[in-house]
Amino acid sequence: MKTRIALLLLALSLSTVVFGDEPNPLTVETRSGWVRGINQEGTLAFLGIPYAKVERFTPPLPVEKWDGIRACDHWGPQAMQPTHGRELSEEEMSEKNCCVLNVWTTDRNSKKPVMVWLHGGGFDSGTSAWNPGMALAKKDVVVVSVNHRLNILGFLDLSACSDQYKHSANVGMLDIVAALNWVRDNIMSFGGDPGNVTIFGESGGGGKVGTLLCMPPARGLFHKAIILSGTILNVNTKAMSEALGTAVLKELGIGKSDISRIKDVPYKELYAAGQRAMAASIGTRKPGTPMMWGFGPTPDGETLLQQPFQPGFADFSSGIPILIGTTFNELQRLAYSQPMTMDQAREALLPVFGDDTEEYIQAFGEAYPGYVPQDLVSIDWLFRPKTLITADHIATNHKAKTYTYMFTWRSPLNKGSVHGHELKFCFNTLHHSKNELPEPTKEDLKLADLMSSAWAAFAHTGDPNTKGLPKWKPYTPENGIMMVFDHKCVVRKNPDRHLEQLIDKHCFKQLEEFRKKNK
């Protein structure tokens, strides 16, 4: 009887690998073991595949091999992060098991371009589950998304205290490098081409893309880059991150001689100590500040050569084509919910632009004819100025082509084109956005199809031109070519350079003060 049961179980396990003489496309062998995915909206989806194992504050290690077939049919754990009172299970959020990735493909026997998505949330929070990739995968690409260590677990610099933690300031980014290594080693089994990988991300994810462009360990693991609303400037220096690391130990009452104790500090206690240490040492960043610091990547001359967007990227990334852009309003507080006169707009602008207020209004009118007064105070003052400066630099100094865009589609709910609104269009997932867009129009659906097609075209060739768009030429500082994504997509040429120079002059004073202080 036991023998018959064993034979039956063996037959059932084999049936998950083959259907008759045909391989089961949902069962794939990776270097670490077999995985079984699911059918998801017409794609083969493999969710929560482990790509590395981690120990606190040290670089990721190869994941241990497993026996049998691992069910990869649901999201893996997100990285540890504040949950604002919600209690999450180990399956939902984990310290040791957060290095997981997801793959969507439509044909495992193909050799398609690979698009690796890095989620937003700064370097502090977020999850790949925010942006599922099945609809984008239908654009003839393989989509991969990644979870990795964040906040104090990903970026606490203890290098001044122990050589054991030499790379602790950047282990969250080294996790992403490990994921790219996984892609190189395994993606052919999912129908992807490891020689044609595009990294892309929005907000903090865009910052991660920029950081990878400055990381020698990532060199050769990707071949194109898309940065969406990611040019908030990280000003962490090695001196700053070491001072913060020392302050964290002081908050915890841990000396350098017994630093191993930090491995046992509960996460919530560790995170809270990090916030107190930041306030007591390098200062706490306020929301809306045009620069970031604290628990994020830090140049060390080895894993990270420089901070991105200041103004460009490391020289070794010169051959990487880059697509970079922003939304019209980003994180600016919107004023569209109430009437506003020009005099009221001028009064609101004066504290920011002072004697240049009239020049700002004139430059705005030249950039955006037909504007309303609310636009003057609702336009993005954080991302576009530095995006333009970065685009100028890389288009002039890098070998590969640069393309720029602006997303100006406006939500019917808040009348703005805000930070993150473009994602449901890039991923072609309007059907997953009922809270933001309950009833998408034909024009909305067409724009989503166009944007996701352009992103996929860029992944294929490094050129985002696709049927239905006007001719999109590479950017130079002279031509200022920018694709405007809206219900009517148009190409504009240097429409707002003077306006952005004024915004940069008045809205980045804190950054200039920091640079002068740290020369």
Side-chain angles (χ1 to χ4, degrees), residues 399-509:
K399 297 176 183 177
K401 294 176 181 178
T402 302
Y403 294 86
T404 73
Y405 73 89
M406 180 178 285
F407 182 77
T408 62
W409 173 91
R410 297 192 182 224
S411 164
L413 299 181
N414 61 25
K415 310 303 180 185
S417 179
V418 305
H419 196 62
H421 264 178
E422 76 278 31
L423 296 185
K424 54 184 171 284
F425 291 86
C426 299
F427 279 90
N428 204 11
T429 51
L430 297 190
H431 57 299
H432 284 273
S433 306
K434 296 300 182 183
N435 290 338
E436 298 176 349
L437 192 59
E439 297 181 8
T441 65
K442 289 182 179 179
E443 290 81 6
D444 295 333
L445 295 170
K446 180 182 177 182
L447 177 58
D449 182 63
L450 272 176
M451 285 194 75
S452 55
S453 294
W455 264 229
F458 184 80
H460 273 265
T461 65
D463 183 332
N465 280 283
T466 191
K467 184 179 179 181
L469 282 180
K471 179 63 179 177
W472 190 353
K473 295 181 180 180
Y475 177 93
T476 69
E478 293 74 29
N479 67 28
I481 293 289
M482 177 178 76
M483 179 65 70
V484 176
F485 282 104
D486 211 324
H487 285 156
K488 182 180 179 180
C489 297
V490 297
V491 171
R492 301 199 65 193
K493 301 179 179 180
N494 261 330
D496 59 349
R497 184 168 293 276
H498 185 203
L499 174 66
E500 297 304 331
Q501 287 170 344
L502 290 169
I503 293 173
D504 188 54
K505 173 184 175 182
H506 289 275
C507 297
F508 287 81
K509 292 179 179 178

Side-chain angles (χ1 to χ4, degrees), residues 272-430:
Q275 298 305 298
R276 295 194 305 271
M278 199 183 310
S281 58
I282 61 175
T284 302
R285 177 178 181 259
K286 296 178 181 178
T289 303
M291 52 197 245
M292 66 152 288
W293 61 87
F295 297 112
T298 300
D300 61 3
E302 186 176 345
T303 60
L304 178 60
L305 298 184
Q306 66 177 74
Q307 296 290 9
F309 314 118
Q310 304 197 31
F313 311 110
D315 290 341
F316 67 76
S317 294
S318 177
I320 304 291
I322 293 174
L323 172 59
I324 186 169
T326 59
T327 70
F328 184 76
N329 299 108
E330 293 288 3
L331 294 171
Q332 193 77 350
R333 180 175 295 179
L334 302 180
Y336 300 119
S337 62
Q338 56 193 13
M340 178 176 282
T341 66
M342 279 298 298
D343 285 341
Q344 288 172 325
R346 186 176 284 106
E347 184 179 353
L349 293 168
L350 273 169
V352 180
F353 295 97
D355 292 341
D356 288 334
T357 297
E358 292 305 321
E359 187 176 354
Y360 170 89
I361 293 171
Q362 182 179 345
F364 197 105
E366 292 169 356
Y368 303 105
Y371 71 91
V372 296
Q374 291 93 328
D375 287 331
L376 291 166
V377 297
S378 300
I379 194 175
D380 165 41
W381 288 349
L382 287 179
F383 293 91
R384 173 68 178 162
K386 297 305 181 186
T387 296
L388 195 60
I389 290 168
T390 296
D392 284 350
H393 181 84
I394 57 178
T396 302
N397 296 283
H398 283 208
K399 297 176 183 177
K401 294 176 181 178
T402 302
Y403 294 86
T404 73
Y405 73 89
M406 180 178 285
F407 182 77
T408 62
W409 173 91
R410 297 192 182 224
S411 164
L413 299 181
N414 61 25
K415 310 303 180 185
S417 179
V418 305
H419 196 62
H421 264 178
E422 76 278 31
L423 296 185
K424 54 184 171 284
F425 291 86
C426 299
F427 279 90
N428 204 11
T429 51
L430 297 190

Side-chain angles (χ1 to χ4, degrees), residues 76-97:
Q78 69 183 28
M80 300 299 291
Q81 55 195 274
T83 56
H84 308 292
R86 292 185 304 121
E87 292 298 325
L88 300 182
S89 68
E90 176 70 14
E91 281 199 352
E92 296 172 295
M93 185 171 73
S94 172
E95 177 173 341
K96 289 187 175 293
N97 300 311

Side-chain angles (χ1 to χ4, degrees), residues 32-64:
S32 300
W34 288 85
V35 297
R36 184 175 62 246
I38 56 174
N39 286 303
Q40 194 172 54
E41 297 185 17
T43 66
L44 310 176
F46 303 83
L47 309 178
I49 303 175
Y51 66 85
K53 68 175 185 178
V54 297
E55 296 292 339
R56 265 195 189 179
F57 311 125
T58 58
L61 297 169
V63 68
E64 294 177 354

